[in-house]
Amino acid sequence: MVQRFNNPAAQGFFAPQRFEGEVADCEVEGTIPADMDGTFVRVGGEWFYPPKFPDDAALHSDGYVSAFRFKSGRVSYRGRFIQTPRYLSNLAPGRQQFGYYRNLLTNDEAVRTMNSTVSNTAPMAHAGKLYALKEDALPLQLDPVTLDTIGFDDFGGRILSQTLSAHPKVDPLTGEMITFGYEATGPASDDLFVYFIDRAGTVTREIRVKVPYVSIIHDFAISQDHIIFPFGGYTTSMERLAQGKVHWGWDRTLPSMVGIMRRDGDGSDLRWFRGPERCMMHVLNATSEGDKVTLLAPFYESNFFPFFANVDGSPWDPSKAVCFFRKLTFDLSRPGDAWEEEILFPMPVGDLAKVDHRFNSLPTRYGFTSFADPDRPFDEARAGNARGRITNSYGRFDMHTGQVDRFFAGDTHALQECTFVPRRGSTSEGDGYLIGTASNLAEMRTELVIVDAQRLGEGELARVFLPFRAATQVHGYWYEAEELAPVGAARGGQA
Ligand code: V55
Ligand code: FE
């Protein structure tokens, strides 16, 4: 018996369905571009069993993977729970044995030492293999066709960190992946391990450094010369975990931090810059010009997550959970630990922003992200009282001209993160499609929109309809058909 789910944090459209399914040939309106040949993989979460503690972090829901497969103008869908050790071990008792987000001490005795990851954050495809990622554990390999879970991958024993980020970066010029694990030697440890993985999937280098205080390092950036680690505000300690709390608390007295080190160094040149209170989660891109490093990122003013409480006991302040595209510049030729910061667009944006990844680490002009456009209508009678909270639009933010090209998804729709799909054969930045799922709050089902990334204002090229609510994603990426090899196929040295 499953306890009736009754958690205010996941209701209505977002109430768990505990449903896995497949649609062989989805309903489509409009025309799917014929050159889209690949898979849109989404990773997110849904509570299979309700949380042990009703105020647990939403980021602790069970991992769920879904794939929209595009071929010859047609689209299929498959969605599965990720078979983590937590998911599997909960099935026998039929309830949630795992406690607060990233606090093993609050698990039931029977599972206290078990790997408790939910693998619910992002997909990664590298060297032909598909993974689900969460920053508290190693990558969990999935079968790219069936989406079955295969197992954790430590890359032949060469990843010695206990954790690996959900936001690895690939250098588009070499195909090399750079990634890192924080809390690398155990919960609340100040170890940060950086890894270089070549295009064939071999770990070629490890760098070990320390952080000035233990915090979420959720994302990072690479330029051609540097590796850049932004974080701040959230913190933890063994004392905090022993108190039985959720992993992170927000301490507004802590500085925001940006660590910068050379890609070709050994970590000894790592330099920490300090700034004002910020919640720095996701980045857009970074570039280096000699000693000048530029980081483009949508950062929040303060604590974004209500379930990671302020350590001073003050209530969460929604007016500060607001995010702007920012440009941070660092001059490595000068002493001191300050950066310069500029807000690039006056309007608040969603922080799940994307660049054309063919230009990752290189100068870029466009940032794509979803946002709430207050000038667009919302049909409260049909979609419920959600106005003001609805991410109803995608934008292409032009960093050269300041212009924003906008796509509006509909007056009963809430958009999730957008994903950039390059047009096959194209080489100019931003030439491709912007795709992503929209929650149709009136009809209680999920739709996938496909827009020309250079003509957002002209509306969608196509819309794919699912007959149910698909589990919501955290992050999704597009993988060309040739990037995902069937399990068992020969691989290595991909062209
Ligand atoms: C984030 C997401 C996570 C997490 C930590 O968006 C940070 C940031 C979905 O899981 O565990
Ligand atoms: Fe993320």
Side-chain angles (χ1 to χ4, degrees), residues 15 35 57 110 124 140 162 169 174 185 194 231 237 243 257-258 261 285 330 356 367 371 380 441:
D35 68 329
M124 158 176 117
L140 190 52
Q162 295 177 17
K169 295 290 178 291
T174 62
T185 59
V194 184
F231 68 82
S237 62
Q243 287 164 13
M257 307 287 308
V258 178
M261 63 190 225
N285 203 0
F330 306 84
D356 177 341
F371 65 100
E380 201 169 306
L441 302 174

mmCIF file with all atom_site columns, all heavy atoms in Angstrom, residues 15 35 57 110 124 140 162 169 174 185 194 231 237 243 257-258 261 285 330 356 367 371 380 441:
data_model
loop_
_atom_site.group_PDB
_atom_site.id
_atom_site.type_symbol
_atom_site.label_atom_id
_atom_site.label_alt_id
_atom_site.label_comp_id
_atom_site.label_asym_id
_atom_site.label_entity_id
_atom_site.label_seq_id
_atom_site.pdbx_PDB_ins_code
_atom_site.Cartn_x
_atom_site.Cartn_y
_atom_site.Cartn_z
_atom_site.occupancy
_atom_site.B_iso_or_equiv
_atom_site.pdbx_formal_charge
_atom_site.auth_seq_id
_atom_site.auth_comp_id
_atom_site.auth_asym_id
_atom_site.auth_atom_id
_atom_site.pdbx_PDB_model_num
ATOM 1   N N   . ALA A 1 15  ? 1.693  16.643 -9.052  1.00 0.00 ? 15  ALA A N   1
ATOM 2   C CA  . ALA A 1 15  ? 1.471  15.497 -8.163  1.00 0.00 ? 15  ALA A CA  1
ATOM 3   C C   . ALA A 1 15  ? 2.051  14.238 -8.805  1.00 0.00 ? 15  ALA A C   1
ATOM 4   O O   . ALA A 1 15  ? 1.900  14.013 -9.998  1.00 0.00 ? 15  ALA A O   1
ATOM 5   C CB  . ALA A 1 15  ? -0.024 15.320 -7.918  1.00 0.00 ? 15  ALA A CB  1
ATOM 6   N N   . ASP A 1 35  ? 15.564 17.451 -40.399 1.00 0.00 ? 35  ASP A N   1
ATOM 7   C CA  . ASP A 1 35  ? 16.980 17.198 -40.063 1.00 0.00 ? 35  ASP A CA  1
ATOM 8   C C   . ASP A 1 35  ? 17.170 16.910 -38.570 1.00 0.00 ? 35  ASP A C   1
ATOM 9   O O   . ASP A 1 35  ? 18.296 16.677 -38.142 1.00 0.00 ? 35  ASP A O   1
ATOM 10  C CB  . ASP A 1 35  ? 17.852 18.379 -40.502 1.00 0.00 ? 35  ASP A CB  1
ATOM 11  C CG  . ASP A 1 35  ? 17.581 19.637 -39.685 1.00 0.00 ? 35  ASP A CG  1
ATOM 12  O OD1 . ASP A 1 35  ? 16.424 19.824 -39.237 1.00 0.00 ? 35  ASP A OD1 1
ATOM 13  O OD2 . ASP A 1 35  ? 18.522 20.427 -39.497 1.00 0.00 ? 35  ASP A OD2 1
ATOM 14  N N   . ALA A 1 57  ? 13.591 18.560 0.949   1.00 0.00 ? 57  ALA A N   1
ATOM 15  C CA  . ALA A 1 57  ? 13.839 19.346 -0.254  1.00 0.00 ? 57  ALA A CA  1
ATOM 16  C C   . ALA A 1 57  ? 13.238 18.670 -1.489  1.00 0.00 ? 57  ALA A C   1
ATOM 17  O O   . ALA A 1 57  ? 13.346 17.448 -1.648  1.00 0.00 ? 57  ALA A O   1
ATOM 18  C CB  . ALA A 1 57  ? 15.342 19.520 -0.454  1.00 0.00 ? 57  ALA A CB  1
ATOM 19  N N   . ALA A 1 110 ? 18.169 0.631  8.560   1.00 0.00 ? 110 ALA A N   1
ATOM 20  C CA  . ALA A 1 110 ? 18.466 -0.433 7.589   1.00 0.00 ? 110 ALA A CA  1
ATOM 21  C C   . ALA A 1 110 ? 19.225 0.088  6.362   1.00 0.00 ? 110 ALA A C   1
ATOM 22  O O   . ALA A 1 110 ? 19.911 -0.675 5.688   1.00 0.00 ? 110 ALA A O   1
ATOM 23  C CB  . ALA A 1 110 ? 17.173 -1.110 7.161   1.00 0.00 ? 110 ALA A CB  1
ATOM 24  N N   . MET A 1 124 ? 23.854 12.971 -19.203 1.00 0.00 ? 124 MET A N   1
ATOM 25  C CA  . MET A 1 124 ? 25.157 13.234 -19.805 1.00 0.00 ? 124 MET A CA  1
ATOM 26  C C   . MET A 1 124 ? 25.393 12.110 -20.798 1.00 0.00 ? 124 MET A C   1
ATOM 27  O O   . MET A 1 124 ? 25.184 10.946 -20.456 1.00 0.00 ? 124 MET A O   1
ATOM 28  C CB  . MET A 1 124 ? 26.247 13.241 -18.728 1.00 0.00 ? 124 MET A CB  1
ATOM 29  C CG  . MET A 1 124 ? 27.650 12.978 -19.242 1.00 0.00 ? 124 MET A CG  1
ATOM 30  S SD  . MET A 1 124 ? 28.858 13.128 -17.886 1.00 0.00 ? 124 MET A SD  1
ATOM 31  C CE  . MET A 1 124 ? 29.525 11.479 -17.812 1.00 0.00 ? 124 MET A CE  1
ATOM 32  N N   . LEU A 1 140 ? 25.369 7.570  -13.075 1.00 0.00 ? 140 LEU A N   1
ATOM 33  C CA  . LEU A 1 140 ? 24.642 6.298  -13.123 1.00 0.00 ? 140 LEU A CA  1
ATOM 34  C C   . LEU A 1 140 ? 24.346 6.019  -14.593 1.00 0.00 ? 140 LEU A C   1
ATOM 35  O O   . LEU A 1 140 ? 23.625 6.788  -15.247 1.00 0.00 ? 140 LEU A O   1
ATOM 36  C CB  . LEU A 1 140 ? 23.357 6.416  -12.301 1.00 0.00 ? 140 LEU A CB  1
ATOM 37  C CG  . LEU A 1 140 ? 22.564 5.145  -12.007 1.00 0.00 ? 140 LEU A CG  1
ATOM 38  C CD1 . LEU A 1 140 ? 23.433 4.055  -11.394 1.00 0.00 ? 140 LEU A CD1 1
ATOM 39  C CD2 . LEU A 1 140 ? 21.390 5.464  -11.082 1.00 0.00 ? 140 LEU A CD2 1
ATOM 40  N N   . GLN A 1 162 ? 34.101 10.816 -4.627  1.00 0.00 ? 162 GLN A N   1
ATOM 41  C CA  . GLN A 1 162 ? 32.862 10.080 -4.356  1.00 0.00 ? 162 GLN A CA  1
ATOM 42  C C   . GLN A 1 162 ? 31.672 10.685 -5.095  1.00 0.00 ? 162 GLN A C   1
ATOM 43  O O   . GLN A 1 162 ? 30.588 10.106 -5.119  1.00 0.00 ? 162 GLN A O   1
ATOM 44  C CB  . GLN A 1 162 ? 32.575 10.083 -2.848  1.00 0.00 ? 162 GLN A CB  1
ATOM 45  C CG  . GLN A 1 162 ? 33.624 9.336  -2.042  1.00 0.00 ? 162 GLN A CG  1
ATOM 46  C CD  . GLN A 1 162 ? 33.383 9.411  -0.544  1.00 0.00 ? 162 GLN A CD  1
ATOM 47  O OE1 . GLN A 1 162 ? 32.296 9.746  -0.087  1.00 0.00 ? 162 GLN A OE1 1
ATOM 48  N NE2 . GLN A 1 162 ? 34.414 9.099  0.227   1.00 0.00 ? 162 GLN A NE2 1
ATOM 49  N N   . LYS A 1 169 ? 31.412 19.901 -18.595 1.00 0.00 ? 169 LYS A N   1
ATOM 50  C CA  . LYS A 1 169 ? 31.532 20.767 -19.779 1.00 0.00 ? 169 LYS A CA  1
ATOM 51  C C   . LYS A 1 169 ? 32.411 20.081 -20.819 1.00 0.00 ? 169 LYS A C   1
ATOM 52  O O   . LYS A 1 169 ? 33.433 19.483 -20.465 1.00 0.00 ? 169 LYS A O   1
ATOM 53  C CB  . LYS A 1 169 ? 32.166 22.105 -19.380 1.00 0.00 ? 169 LYS A CB  1
ATOM 54  C CG  . LYS A 1 169 ? 31.315 22.941 -18.429 1.00 0.00 ? 169 LYS A CG  1
ATOM 55  C CD  . LYS A 1 169 ? 30.082 23.501 -19.104 1.00 0.00 ? 169 LYS A CD  1
ATOM 56  C CE  . LYS A 1 169 ? 29.204 24.301 -18.161 1.00 0.00 ? 169 LYS A CE  1
ATOM 57  N NZ  . LYS A 1 169 ? 28.530 23.509 -17.132 1.00 0.00 ? 169 LYS A NZ  1
ATOM 58  N N   . THR A 1 174 ? 37.981 20.095 -28.943 1.00 0.00 ? 174 THR A N   1
ATOM 59  C CA  . THR A 1 174 ? 38.710 18.838 -28.736 1.00 0.00 ? 174 THR A CA  1
ATOM 60  C C   . THR A 1 174 ? 37.801 17.663 -28.373 1.00 0.00 ? 174 THR A C   1
ATOM 61  O O   . THR A 1 174 ? 38.241 16.513 -28.439 1.00 0.00 ? 174 THR A O   1
ATOM 62  C CB  . THR A 1 174 ? 39.724 18.995 -27.589 1.00 0.00 ? 174 THR A CB  1
ATOM 63  O OG1 . THR A 1 174 ? 38.983 19.287 -26.391 1.00 0.00 ? 174 THR A OG1 1
ATOM 64  C CG2 . THR A 1 174 ? 40.717 20.115 -27.866 1.00 0.00 ? 174 THR A CG2 1
ATOM 65  N N   . THR A 1 185 ? 35.616 13.690 -0.793  1.00 0.00 ? 185 THR A N   1
ATOM 66  C CA  . THR A 1 185 ? 36.062 12.598 0.084   1.00 0.00 ? 185 THR A CA  1
ATOM 67  C C   . THR A 1 185 ? 35.033 12.282 1.169   1.00 0.00 ? 185 THR A C   1
ATOM 68  O O   . THR A 1 185 ? 35.343 11.586 2.127   1.00 0.00 ? 185 THR A O   1
ATOM 69  C CB  . THR A 1 185 ? 37.419 12.928 0.731   1.00 0.00 ? 185 THR A CB  1
ATOM 70  O OG1 . THR A 1 185 ? 37.284 14.146 1.485   1.00 0.00 ? 185 THR A OG1 1
ATOM 71  C CG2 . THR A 1 185 ? 38.495 13.117 -0.320  1.00 0.00 ? 185 THR A CG2 1
ATOM 72  N N   . VAL A 1 194 ? 39.056 17.645 -9.700  1.00 0.00 ? 194 VAL A N   1
ATOM 73  C CA  . VAL A 1 194 ? 38.720 18.012 -11.075 1.00 0.00 ? 194 VAL A CA  1
ATOM 74  C C   . VAL A 1 194 ? 39.219 16.904 -12.009 1.00 0.00 ? 194 VAL A C   1
ATOM 75  O O   . VAL A 1 194 ? 40.321 16.377 -11.806 1.00 0.00 ? 194 VAL A O   1
ATOM 76  C CB  . VAL A 1 194 ? 39.385 19.350 -11.456 1.00 0.00 ? 194 VAL A CB  1
ATOM 77  C CG1 . VAL A 1 194 ? 38.961 19.794 -12.856 1.00 0.00 ? 194 VAL A CG1 1
ATOM 78  C CG2 . VAL A 1 194 ? 39.047 20.423 -10.426 1.00 0.00 ? 194 VAL A CG2 1
ATOM 79  N N   . PHE A 1 231 ? 30.331 29.822 -6.383  1.00 0.00 ? 231 PHE A N   1
ATOM 80  C CA  . PHE A 1 231 ? 29.398 29.313 -5.355  1.00 0.00 ? 231 PHE A CA  1
ATOM 81  C C   . PHE A 1 231 ? 29.208 30.368 -4.286  1.00 0.00 ? 231 PHE A C   1
ATOM 82  O O   . PHE A 1 231 ? 29.860 31.412 -4.278  1.00 0.00 ? 231 PHE A O   1
ATOM 83  C CB  . PHE A 1 231 ? 29.909 27.992 -4.750  1.00 0.00 ? 231 PHE A CB  1
ATOM 84  C CG  . PHE A 1 231 ? 31.150 28.092 -3.910  1.00 0.00 ? 231 PHE A CG  1
ATOM 85  C CD1 . PHE A 1 231 ? 31.071 28.491 -2.582  1.00 0.00 ? 231 PHE A CD1 1
ATOM 86  C CD2 . PHE A 1 231 ? 32.393 27.778 -4.434  1.00 0.00 ? 231 PHE A CD2 1
ATOM 87  C CE1 . PHE A 1 231 ? 32.208 28.570 -1.789  1.00 0.00 ? 231 PHE A CE1 1
ATOM 88  C CE2 . PHE A 1 231 ? 33.543 27.850 -3.653  1.00 0.00 ? 231 PHE A CE2 1
ATOM 89  C CZ  . PHE A 1 231 ? 33.454 28.249 -2.335  1.00 0.00 ? 231 PHE A CZ  1
ATOM 90  N N   . SER A 1 237 ? 27.975 21.252 7.361   1.00 0.00 ? 237 SER A N   1
ATOM 91  C CA  . SER A 1 237 ? 29.055 20.774 8.221   1.00 0.00 ? 237 SER A CA  1
ATOM 92  C C   . SER A 1 237 ? 28.591 19.465 8.828   1.00 0.00 ? 237 SER A C   1
ATOM 93  O O   . SER A 1 237 ? 27.384 19.158 8.826   1.00 0.00 ? 237 SER A O   1
ATOM 94  C CB  . SER A 1 237 ? 29.332 21.783 9.343   1.00 0.00 ? 237 SER A CB  1
ATOM 95  O OG  . SER A 1 237 ? 28.171 21.912 10.155  1.00 0.00 ? 237 SER A OG  1
ATOM 96  N N   . GLN A 1 243 ? 22.753 17.235 13.507  1.00 0.00 ? 243 GLN A N   1
ATOM 97  C CA  . GLN A 1 243 ? 21.506 17.806 14.056  1.00 0.00 ? 243 GLN A CA  1
ATOM 98  C C   . GLN A 1 243 ? 20.265 17.304 13.311  1.00 0.00 ? 243 GLN A C   1
ATOM 99  O O   . GLN A 1 243 ? 19.143 17.711 13.615  1.00 0.00 ? 243 GLN A O   1
ATOM 100 C CB  . GLN A 1 243 ? 21.556 19.335 13.987  1.00 0.00 ? 243 GLN A CB  1
ATOM 101 C CG  . GLN A 1 243 ? 22.501 19.967 15.008  1.00 0.00 ? 243 GLN A CG  1
ATOM 102 C CD  . GLN A 1 243 ? 22.833 21.419 14.667  1.00 0.00 ? 243 GLN A CD  1
ATOM 103 O OE1 . GLN A 1 243 ? 22.186 22.030 13.807  1.00 0.00 ? 243 GLN A OE1 1
ATOM 104 N NE2 . GLN A 1 243 ? 23.836 21.965 15.329  1.00 0.00 ? 243 GLN A NE2 1
ATOM 105 N N   . MET A 1 257 ? 31.744 33.335 -3.784  1.00 0.00 ? 257 MET A N   1
ATOM 106 C CA  . MET A 1 257 ? 33.130 33.012 -4.129  1.00 0.00 ? 257 MET A CA  1
ATOM 107 C C   . MET A 1 257 ? 33.203 32.597 -5.601  1.00 0.00 ? 257 MET A C   1
ATOM 108 O O   . MET A 1 257 ? 32.282 31.951 -6.112  1.00 0.00 ? 257 MET A O   1
ATOM 109 C CB  . MET A 1 257 ? 33.633 31.821 -3.302  1.00 0.00 ? 257 MET A CB  1
ATOM 110 C CG  . MET A 1 257 ? 33.473 31.918 -1.810  1.00 0.00 ? 257 MET A CG  1
ATOM 111 S SD  . MET A 1 257 ? 34.584 33.069 -0.981  1.00 0.00 ? 257 MET A SD  1
ATOM 112 C CE  . MET A 1 257 ? 36.180 32.598 -1.567  1.00 0.00 ? 257 MET A CE  1
ATOM 113 N N   . VAL A 1 258 ? 34.299 32.962 -6.237  1.00 0.00 ? 258 VAL A N   1
ATOM 114 C CA  . VAL A 1 258 ? 34.593 32.416 -7.568  1.00 0.00 ? 258 VAL A CA  1
ATOM 115 C C   . VAL A 1 258 ? 36.056 31.975 -7.569  1.00 0.00 ? 258 VAL A C   1
ATOM 116 O O   . VAL A 1 258 ? 36.954 32.796 -7.339  1.00 0.00 ? 258 VAL A O   1
ATOM 117 C CB  . VAL A 1 258 ? 34.344 33.443 -8.697  1.00 0.00 ? 258 VAL A CB  1
ATOM 118 C CG1 . VAL A 1 258 ? 34.716 32.843 -10.046 1.00 0.00 ? 258 VAL A CG1 1
ATOM 119 C CG2 . VAL A 1 258 ? 32.882 33.894 -8.716  1.00 0.00 ? 258 VAL A CG2 1
ATOM 120 N N   . MET A 1 261 ? 41.242 28.772 -11.951 1.00 0.00 ? 261 MET A N   1
ATOM 121 C CA  . MET A 1 261 ? 42.558 28.151 -12.137 1.00 0.00 ? 261 MET A CA  1
ATOM 122 C C   . MET A 1 261 ? 42.773 27.822 -13.605 1.00 0.00 ? 261 MET A C   1
ATOM 123 O O   . MET A 1 261 ? 41.830 27.736 -14.384 1.00 0.00 ? 261 MET A O   1
ATOM 124 C CB  . MET A 1 261 ? 42.685 26.883 -11.285 1.00 0.00 ? 261 MET A CB  1
ATOM 125 C CG  . MET A 1 261 ? 41.718 25.785 -11.656 1.00 0.00 ? 261 MET A CG  1
ATOM 126 S SD  . MET A 1 261 ? 41.775 24.478 -10.394 1.00 0.00 ? 261 MET A SD  1
ATOM 127 C CE  . MET A 1 261 ? 41.821 23.050 -11.437 1.00 0.00 ? 261 MET A CE  1
ATOM 128 N N   . ASN A 1 285 ? 28.337 30.758 -19.867 1.00 0.00 ? 285 ASN A N   1
ATOM 129 C CA  . ASN A 1 285 ? 29.571 30.510 -20.613 1.00 0.00 ? 285 ASN A CA  1
ATOM 130 C C   . ASN A 1 285 ? 30.679 31.362 -20.005 1.00 0.00 ? 285 ASN A C   1
ATOM 131 O O   . ASN A 1 285 ? 30.417 32.257 -19.187 1.00 0.00 ? 285 ASN A O   1
ATOM 132 C CB  . ASN A 1 285 ? 29.387 30.872 -22.092 1.00 0.00 ? 285 ASN A CB  1
ATOM 133 C CG  . ASN A 1 285 ? 30.369 30.139 -23.006 1.00 0.00 ? 285 ASN A CG  1
ATOM 134 O OD1 . ASN A 1 285 ? 31.202 29.353 -22.549 1.00 0.00 ? 285 ASN A OD1 1
ATOM 135 N ND2 . ASN A 1 285 ? 30.282 30.423 -24.279 1.00 0.00 ? 285 ASN A ND2 1
ATOM 136 N N   . PHE A 1 330 ? 37.074 39.322 -14.268 1.00 0.00 ? 330 PHE A N   1
ATOM 137 C CA  . PHE A 1 330 ? 38.175 39.080 -13.329 1.00 0.00 ? 330 PHE A CA  1
ATOM 138 C C   . PHE A 1 330 ? 39.476 39.455 -14.032 1.00 0.00 ? 330 PHE A C   1
ATOM 139 O O   . PHE A 1 330 ? 39.702 39.026 -15.169 1.00 0.00 ? 330 PHE A O   1
ATOM 140 C CB  . PHE A 1 330 ? 38.225 37.598 -12.948 1.00 0.00 ? 330 PHE A CB  1
ATOM 141 C CG  . PHE A 1 330 ? 36.915 37.076 -12.420 1.00 0.00 ? 330 PHE A CG  1
ATOM 142 C CD1 . PHE A 1 330 ? 35.917 36.646 -13.299 1.00 0.00 ? 330 PHE A CD1 1
ATOM 143 C CD2 . PHE A 1 330 ? 36.674 37.017 -11.058 1.00 0.00 ? 330 PHE A CD2 1
ATOM 144 C CE1 . PHE A 1 330 ? 34.711 36.168 -12.822 1.00 0.00 ? 330 PHE A CE1 1
ATOM 145 C CE2 . PHE A 1 330 ? 35.463 36.534 -10.569 1.00 0.00 ? 330 PHE A CE2 1
ATOM 146 C CZ  . PHE A 1 330 ? 34.484 36.115 -11.450 1.00 0.00 ? 330 PHE A CZ  1
ATOM 147 N N   . ASP A 1 356 ? 24.540 28.004 -27.368 1.00 0.00 ? 356 ASP A N   1
ATOM 148 C CA  . ASP A 1 356 ? 24.813 27.050 -28.441 1.00 0.00 ? 356 ASP A CA  1
ATOM 149 C C   . ASP A 1 356 ? 26.102 26.346 -28.018 1.00 0.00 ? 356 ASP A C   1
ATOM 150 O O   . ASP A 1 356 ? 27.188 26.944 -28.043 1.00 0.00 ? 356 ASP A O   1
ATOM 151 C CB  . ASP A 1 356 ? 24.986 27.826 -29.753 1.00 0.00 ? 356 ASP A CB  1
ATOM 152 C CG  . ASP A 1 356 ? 25.348 26.925 -30.933 1.00 0.00 ? 356 ASP A CG  1
ATOM 153 O OD1 . ASP A 1 356 ? 25.807 25.788 -30.698 1.00 0.00 ? 356 ASP A OD1 1
ATOM 154 O OD2 . ASP A 1 356 ? 25.181 27.393 -32.072 1.00 0.00 ? 356 ASP A OD2 1
ATOM 155 N N   . GLY A 1 367 ? 22.341 34.114 -25.364 1.00 0.00 ? 367 GLY A N   1
ATOM 156 C CA  . GLY A 1 367 ? 21.948 33.235 -24.270 1.00 0.00 ? 367 GLY A CA  1
ATOM 157 C C   . GLY A 1 367 ? 20.481 32.914 -24.444 1.00 0.00 ? 367 GLY A C   1
ATOM 158 O O   . GLY A 1 367 ? 19.677 33.810 -24.753 1.00 0.00 ? 367 GLY A O   1
ATOM 159 N N   . PHE A 1 371 ? 11.563 32.453 -19.199 1.00 0.00 ? 371 PHE A N   1
ATOM 160 C CA  . PHE A 1 371 ? 11.294 33.531 -18.255 1.00 0.00 ? 371 PHE A CA  1
ATOM 161 C C   . PHE A 1 371 ? 9.784  33.766 -18.184 1.00 0.00 ? 371 PHE A C   1
ATOM 162 O O   . PHE A 1 371 ? 9.031  33.273 -19.017 1.00 0.00 ? 371 PHE A O   1
ATOM 163 C CB  . PHE A 1 371 ? 12.032 34.825 -18.647 1.00 0.00 ? 371 PHE A CB  1
ATOM 164 C CG  . PHE A 1 371 ? 11.587 35.436 -19.945 1.00 0.00 ? 371 PHE A CG  1
ATOM 165 C CD1 . PHE A 1 371 ? 10.702 36.516 -19.953 1.00 0.00 ? 371 PHE A CD1 1
ATOM 166 C CD2 . PHE A 1 371 ? 12.034 34.937 -21.161 1.00 0.00 ? 371 PHE A CD2 1
ATOM 167 C CE1 . PHE A 1 371 ? 10.282 37.080 -21.156 1.00 0.00 ? 371 PHE A CE1 1
ATOM 168 C CE2 . PHE A 1 371 ? 11.618 35.489 -22.364 1.00 0.00 ? 371 PHE A CE2 1
ATOM 169 C CZ  . PHE A 1 371 ? 10.748 36.567 -22.360 1.00 0.00 ? 371 PHE A CZ  1
ATOM 170 N N   . GLU A 1 380 ? -6.649 32.162 -16.172 1.00 0.00 ? 380 GLU A N   1
ATOM 171 C CA  . GLU A 1 380 ? -6.803 31.643 -14.818 1.00 0.00 ? 380 GLU A CA  1
ATOM 172 C C   . GLU A 1 380 ? -8.033 30.741 -14.689 1.00 0.00 ? 380 GLU A C   1
ATOM 173 O O   . GLU A 1 380 ? -8.028 29.775 -13.925 1.00 0.00 ? 380 GLU A O   1
ATOM 174 C CB  . GLU A 1 380 ? -6.898 32.828 -13.856 1.00 0.00 ? 380 GLU A CB  1
ATOM 175 C CG  . GLU A 1 380 ? -6.571 32.463 -12.445 1.00 0.00 ? 380 GLU A CG  1
ATOM 176 C CD  . GLU A 1 380 ? -6.417 33.686 -11.553 1.00 0.00 ? 380 GLU A CD  1
ATOM 177 O OE1 . GLU A 1 380 ? -5.614 34.576 -11.918 1.00 0.00 ? 380 GLU A OE1 1
ATOM 178 O OE2 . GLU A 1 380 ? -7.089 33.749 -10.525 1.00 0.00 ? 380 GLU A OE2 1
ATOM 179 N N   . LEU A 1 441 ? -1.494 23.382 -18.170 1.00 0.00 ? 441 LEU A N   1
ATOM 180 C CA  . LEU A 1 441 ? -2.143 23.319 -16.858 1.00 0.00 ? 441 LEU A CA  1
ATOM 181 C C   . LEU A 1 441 ? -3.655 23.174 -16.965 1.00 0.00 ? 441 LEU A C   1
ATOM 182 O O   . LEU A 1 441 ? -4.310 22.737 -16.018 1.00 0.00 ? 441 LEU A O   1
ATOM 183 C CB  . LEU A 1 441 ? -1.795 24.573 -16.055 1.00 0.00 ? 441 LEU A CB  1
ATOM 184 C CG  . LEU A 1 441 ? -0.292 24.821 -15.836 1.00 0.00 ? 441 LEU A CG  1
ATOM 185 C CD1 . LEU A 1 441 ? -0.073 26.167 -15.159 1.00 0.00 ? 441 LEU A CD1 1
ATOM 186 C CD2 . LEU A 1 441 ? 0.347  23.706 -15.034 1.00 0.00 ? 441 LEU A CD2 1
#
